[in-house]
Amino acid sequence: MVGLIQNVGESLKFGFAQCYGDGFKGFLRMLALLVLSIIPIAFFIPMGIFLKVFKGEKPDFTNAGQSFIRGLLSFVIALIYMLIPIILLAIFGGLGAIPAIFGGDPGAIAGALVGSVGVIVALIAAVLLAIVAIPAEINFARNGFAAAFKFSEIFGMIAKAGVAKYILSYIILIIVSFIIGMILCLIGMIPVVGIIVALLVAIPLTFFEYRYWANRFEA
């Protein structure tokens, strides 16, 4: 299994190689993925293509129709996993209840406190489910839709990868993403150039993240 820090470098190299390491053909594929990613409904195609990375397949436009379906199913899986946090936010009233604290009404204050607790619980649930959703999506890509909900297999994947290593990988990805985001923000201060750079790295960075998790959860 690729080491924690080595995984970052290898995955970044992979991401940019998919767009700039295959000559003009790779560059055109990158532009096509970029355009499709911002078009409603059509963005399911690139989602399905990115999923090929989890299977170790070449992420190209072969079987675009199948990629569309897989992208749609991936979206559905993510939505299902986030249903619990969404429901919790709906039940507890979300952040909208917090301003009632300043109204002075004991009932409103109690409602606001309950709402605040609900938001915290929903956020914790969202983080925990996101941790499970990553190997679930990988299991789906490799073994079909039902595999996204075979929790014995999913937790087995986490155990095989190493719980501590998985959590550390998650933290490292957050830190790396933050650093990249800061760099892009600084470059973004340059008129026109900033936007161009952001567009040119968007798809490579997406490939990077998929490869990053594919390496962590090797088949």
Side-chain angles (χ1 to χ4, degrees), residues 15-30:
F16 281 90
Q18 298 309 304
C19 301
Y20 301 107
D22 195 18
F24 191 60
K25 180 180 178 181
F27 183 72
L28 287 178
R29 182 171 63 244
M30 185 270 290

Side-chain angles (χ1 to χ4, degrees), residues 1-132:
M1 185 177 291
V2 181
L4 292 173
I5 302 302
Q6 181 186 1
N7 192 15
V8 175
E10 194 279 337
S11 299
L12 278 171
K13 182 179 178 180
F14 173 86
F16 281 90
Q18 298 309 304
C19 301
Y20 301 107
D22 195 18
F24 191 60
K25 180 180 178 181
F27 183 72
L28 287 178
R29 182 171 63 244
M30 185 270 290
L31 290 180
L33 288 170
L34 182 62
V35 171
L36 289 173
S37 294
I38 60 178
I39 299 176
I41 306 300
F43 67 78
F44 290 129
I45 295 176
M47 283 181 66
I49 290 174
F50 293 134
L51 285 171
K52 292 183 178 183
V53 177
F54 289 155
K55 300 178 67 177
E57 298 177 353
K58 186 174 179 60
D60 54 26
F61 278 87
T62 304
N63 297 321
Q66 186 179 67
S67 292
F68 176 88
I69 294 173
R70 287 179 177 174
L72 175 60
L73 292 176
S74 176
F75 177 82
V76 170
I77 291 168
L79 185 61
I80 292 173
Y81 269 88
M82 286 298 107
L83 273 181
I84 293 177
I86 292 172
I87 291 173
L88 286 173
L89 283 173
I91 291 175
F92 289 104
L95 292 170
I98 294 178
I101 292 177
F102 302 101
D105 183 347
I109 295 175
L113 290 174
V114 171
S116 299
V117 171
V119 170
I120 294 173
V121 172
L123 289 175
I124 293 174
V127 172
L128 293 176
L129 287 169
I131 290 174
V132 176

Side-chain angles (χ1 to χ4, degrees), residues 7 53-56 138 142 209-219:
N7 192 15
V53 177
F54 289 155
K55 300 178 67 177
I138 295 173
R142 294 172 180 171
E209 185 171 345
Y210 276 77
R211 177 71 167 196
Y212 183 85
W213 290 123
N215 285 341
R216 180 50 50 207
F217 294 101
E218 292 178 340

